[in-house]
């Protein structure tokens, strides 16, 4: 990679998000209200954080939705300092859930109902509900490394070897009784399914919370993304469990490419 300005995003684990609905008032008053929400709700002193916001939708309903995110300055520097050490120049620091929200809105502008984006990384999973002018996200501490850690315990091997084994042979077992000549692959697939089942339980709890506490609808579809989402049969697993359409997020659906 040639040295150039870089746009990067922070993990959902590193930020404090809050979606708020504010009365439709003038721009200056609206910004004051956003700052008040930060001061009242972020559990860190203002001098220790950096924060920003994005307005969601418009104020035609008499209210203006806004997503506020805050992060500790030291955590942001922990990431940007490594980028600088690599000879690159950070220009924009975004947060993963909002980057995915904007990606979905740009590439799938005509979606109706409730859409869920499931971003499965190594250490955590971002779960994002997007519906009309509402957004709700949760960071779940179950992701790809959880499978690797289970392989470490079961096969008594170093983490790096377990990670390589996962990448080479893991898939999500689809349930039922079946026989295979490859006992190792069968064990790995069942381990993967157990971890993904834990993730599904957290998603189900989040769906119930979103519907009961946020006034949201049942999800109509799910988009998968993130490095750990490529685990074979993962889309089929969630399609069966959630009874919704499951596809992989295409971030370039509306992006033109030069010849």
């Amino acid at each position: 990679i040639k040295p150039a300005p870089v746009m990067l995003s922070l993990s959902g684990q590193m930020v404090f998000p809050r979606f708020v609905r504010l009365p439709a008032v003038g721009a200056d008053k609206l910004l004051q209200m956003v700052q008040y929400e930060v001061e009242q709700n972020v559990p860190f002193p203002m001098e220790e954080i950096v924060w920003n916001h994005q307005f969601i939708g418009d104020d035609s309903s008499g209210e203006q939705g806004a997503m506020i995110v805050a992060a500790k300055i030291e955590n942001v520097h922990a990431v940007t300092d490594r980028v600088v050490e690599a000879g690159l120049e950070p220009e924009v620091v975004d947060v993963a859930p909002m980057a995915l929200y904007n990606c979905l809105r740009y590439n799938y502008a005509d979606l109706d109902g409730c859409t869920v984006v499931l971003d499965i990384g190594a250490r955590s999973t971002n779960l994002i509900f997007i519906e009309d002018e509402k957004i709700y996200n949760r960071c779940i501490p179950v992701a790809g490394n959880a499978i690797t850690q289970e392989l470490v315990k079961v096969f008594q091997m170093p983490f790096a070897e377990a990670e390589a084994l996962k990448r080479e042979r893991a898939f999500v077992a689809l349930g039922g009784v079946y026989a295979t000549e490859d006992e190792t692959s069968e064990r790995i697939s069942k381990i993967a399914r157990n971890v993904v089942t834990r993730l599904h339980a957290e998603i189900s709890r989040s769906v119930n919370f979103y519907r009961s506490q946020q006034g949201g609808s049942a999800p109509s579809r799910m988009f998968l993304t993130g490095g750990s989402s490529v685990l074979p049969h993962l889309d089929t697993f969630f399609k069966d469990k959630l009874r919704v359409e499951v596809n992989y997020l295409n971030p370039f659906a509306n992006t033109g490419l030069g010849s």
Side-chain angles (χ1 to χ4, degrees), residues 2-259:
K2 296 180 180 179
V6 172
M7 289 175 282
L8 58 94
S9 68
L10 301 178
S11 162
Q13 281 186 311
M14 299 177 65
V15 300
F16 180 88
R18 181 172 175 82
F19 178 75
V20 297
R21 299 203 69 87
L22 306 169
V25 295
D28 290 345
K29 183 68 173 177
L30 205 54
L31 290 176
Q32 291 177 12
M33 296 174 74
V34 169
Q35 179 160 349
Y36 175 80
E37 290 288 340
V38 175
E39 293 171 348
Q40 294 300 307
N41 293 289
V42 177
F44 306 110
M46 292 294 287
E47 63 271 15
E48 295 181 9
I49 65 169
V50 58
W51 64 273
N52 211 327
H53 70 282
Q54 177 177 324
F55 292 123
I56 306 295
D58 56 39
D59 59 3
S60 57
S61 64
E63 290 184 315
Q64 176 66 67
M67 174 58 80
I68 301 169
V69 292
K72 298 197 73 173
I73 295 173
E74 63 185 59
N75 292 340
V76 177
H77 278 301
V79 175
T80 56
D81 288 353
R82 302 295 83 75
V83 174
V84 172
E85 288 172 4
L88 303 172
E89 180 184 345
E91 186 172 85
V92 173
V93 179
D94 204 344
V95 293
M98 287 310 298
L100 288 167
Y101 169 85
N102 290 324
C103 176
L104 184 86
R105 285 299 194 195
Y106 178 74
N107 288 288
Y108 302 88
D110 58 348
L111 294 177
D112 57 3
C114 177
T115 299
V116 172
V117 178
L118 190 66
D119 171 29
I120 311 175
R123 292 184 296 178
S124 63
T125 295
N126 288 310
L127 178 65
I128 308 153
F129 294 82
I130 301 166
E131 181 179 7
D132 299 327
E133 295 181 0
K134 290 198 294 288
I135 177 173
Y136 168 71
N137 78 277
R138 181 188 170 205
C139 187
I140 301 171
V142 180
N145 280 2
I147 298 174
T148 309
Q149 294 286 9
E150 289 299 316
L151 294 178
V152 167
K153 290 191 290 186
V154 170
F155 292 99
Q156 295 294 298
M157 60 173 56
F159 185 91
E161 291 183 19
E163 179 70 14
L165 183 65
K166 178 186 72 175
R167 290 171 178 265
E168 180 183 349
R169 302 175 67 173
F171 62 92
V172 180
L174 295 180
V177 178
Y178 61 93
T180 175
E181 296 180 359
D182 189 343
E183 182 180 343
T184 300
S185 292
E186 184 176 348
R187 292 174 69 189
I188 295 171
S189 71
K190 289 181 178 178
I191 290 169
R193 183 181 177 88
N194 289 340
V195 172
V196 175
T197 298
R198 284 166 45 201
L199 179 58
H200 169 252
E202 293 296 329
I203 293 170
S204 295
R205 277 193 281 272
S206 299
V207 169
N208 291 336
F209 178 85
Y210 174 71
R211 297 187 66 185
S212 63
Q213 302 297 318
Q214 304 292 318
S217 306
S220 300
R221 67 194 63 82
M222 172 182 280
F223 286 99
L224 297 175
T225 189
S228 296
S229 70
V230 299
L231 198 65
H233 305 319
L234 186 69
D235 55 341
T236 302
F237 173 88
F238 282 118
K239 191 177 300 183
D240 291 343
K241 290 292 185 181
L242 299 173
R243 302 297 181 187
V244 298
E245 177 186 355
V246 178
N247 293 296
Y248 281 89
L249 180 69
N250 178 7
F252 304 111
N254 282 341
T255 302
L257 301 176
S259 57

